[in-house]
Amino acid sequence: MTTTLGTASAGPGEIDTGRLEVGETRDGSPIGLPVAVINGAQSGKTLYMQAVSDGDELNGVGVVQRVVPRLDPAEISGTILIVGIVNYHAFQVAEHRNPIDDTKMNRAYPGNGNGTSSERIAATTFEAASRADLVLDLHQGSTSRMLNEVRVRCGKRHRLHQDCLELAKAFGCGYVLDQKGPDGQLARAAPDEGIPTIDPELGGCVGWDETSIRKGVEGVFNVLTHYDFLEGTVELERQTRANGFDQYGSPNGGLVSFAKDLGDRVVRGDTLFEVTTPFGETKATVTADNEGILWRTRRLPQVATGEYVCSVGTDIDSY
Ligand SMILES: [Zn+2]
């Protein structure tokens, strides 16, 4: 049976790329998101994968462009639907949010076909995601520095919680943040439709980060193998899980220097960072409120009072 996504159309054993129309630009040109359909020669599940939901998060499209050439439809059981770049307008200007409506795409799901620019793009991509049995929404910690991790956003009381955890374990970044996300995330809206969904956060960088992209490629192939799109088995590895997330801002203005590296364990009272003057005098020392793992840090050293500095994953266990 032929599978279609936008203008991409592939029969069994075929792959095709095309465009998924989501409206027009300000000059009236049609906007088509780049899409790919991989229709396996054998039947099986459907995986939906998307990247660049946030316009400055490019590692996901780095993963997509390495995964797709390695997929041989003759060897695949099932179907893979891919939107390579979701946030068209933000991507064009290399910004996080869609500049047309100043909205974060991952707060707009499941979207609205008659709504704002972001809501319409969310609705169109959500329709594609809704055709799948599994969803991967490839993100990263924007331009901050962050661990490679996978987020389970449905919340612990959701009926699909275990399925989402399994998908996160199969992806296998090593770290999982298991915390209910804000409204409007694809990783919350799709589980409500009965589709296990994860939000792999592939590090954080300006542009592309080779290590995180490789981790993402590996994760996608792990998922394809674990869920029988590809032959073989994956050895599921124990994941370090954070069940909470503390964010730290700066108590005053100055230059931040970190006392810990990403991935370091911290205990309550450990110094996380100091804020210093341009002449090296310490203005403030900020310590951890709870034990956990240093998960994410700002990239630039300069901060104003109250500005975001870092996050610690807390309530750590493993599964
Ligand atoms: Zn994101």
Side-chain angles (χ1 to χ4, degrees), residues 53-54 56-57 96 104 106 138-142 199 201:
S53 165
D54 294 314
D56 60 350
E57 299 186 359
H96 191 78
K104 184 172 160 70
N106 209 22
L138 302 175
H139 282 261
Q140 68 189 52
S142 186
D199 172 351
E201 296 278 346

Side-chain angles (χ1 to χ4, degrees), residues 125-192:
T125 50
F126 191 71
E127 196 182 311
S130 300
R131 294 162 56 188
D133 301 295
L134 302 162
V135 170
L136 306 178
D137 185 12
L138 302 175
H139 282 261
Q140 68 189 52
S142 186
T143 56
S144 299
R145 296 171 62 245
M146 196 166 80
L147 296 175
N148 297 302
E149 48 120 329
V150 175
R151 294 190 172 180
V152 169
R153 293 311 227 163
C154 64
K156 292 178 200 292
R157 282 196 287 273
H158 198 282
R159 67 195 161 95
L160 260 59
H161 183 235
Q162 284 305 323
D163 302 274
C164 293
L165 279 181
E166 184 186 340
L167 183 53
K169 190 168 184 167
F171 197 92
C173 269
Y175 293 97
V176 172
L177 176 62
D178 182 11
Q179 189 188 48
K180 190 173 184 178
D183 284 344
Q185 292 194 325
L186 179 57
R188 277 202 48 200
D192 288 348

Side-chain angles (χ1 to χ4, degrees), residues 18 21 89 91 99 103 110 121 191 216 243 250 260 264-265 267 302 304:
E21 215 186 304
H89 298 285
F91 175 80
T103 296
I121 294 172
N243 297 280
S250 183
K260 299 278 181 186
D264 280 356
R265 292 265 178 174
V267 299
Q302 67 271 38

Side-chain angles (χ1 to χ4, degrees), residues 81-98:
L81 306 172
I82 304 174
V83 178
I85 297 164
V86 171
N87 201 334
Y88 174 91
H89 298 285
F91 175 80
Q92 297 294 334
V93 293
E95 284 175 11
H96 191 78
R97 298 156 78 94
N98 179 353

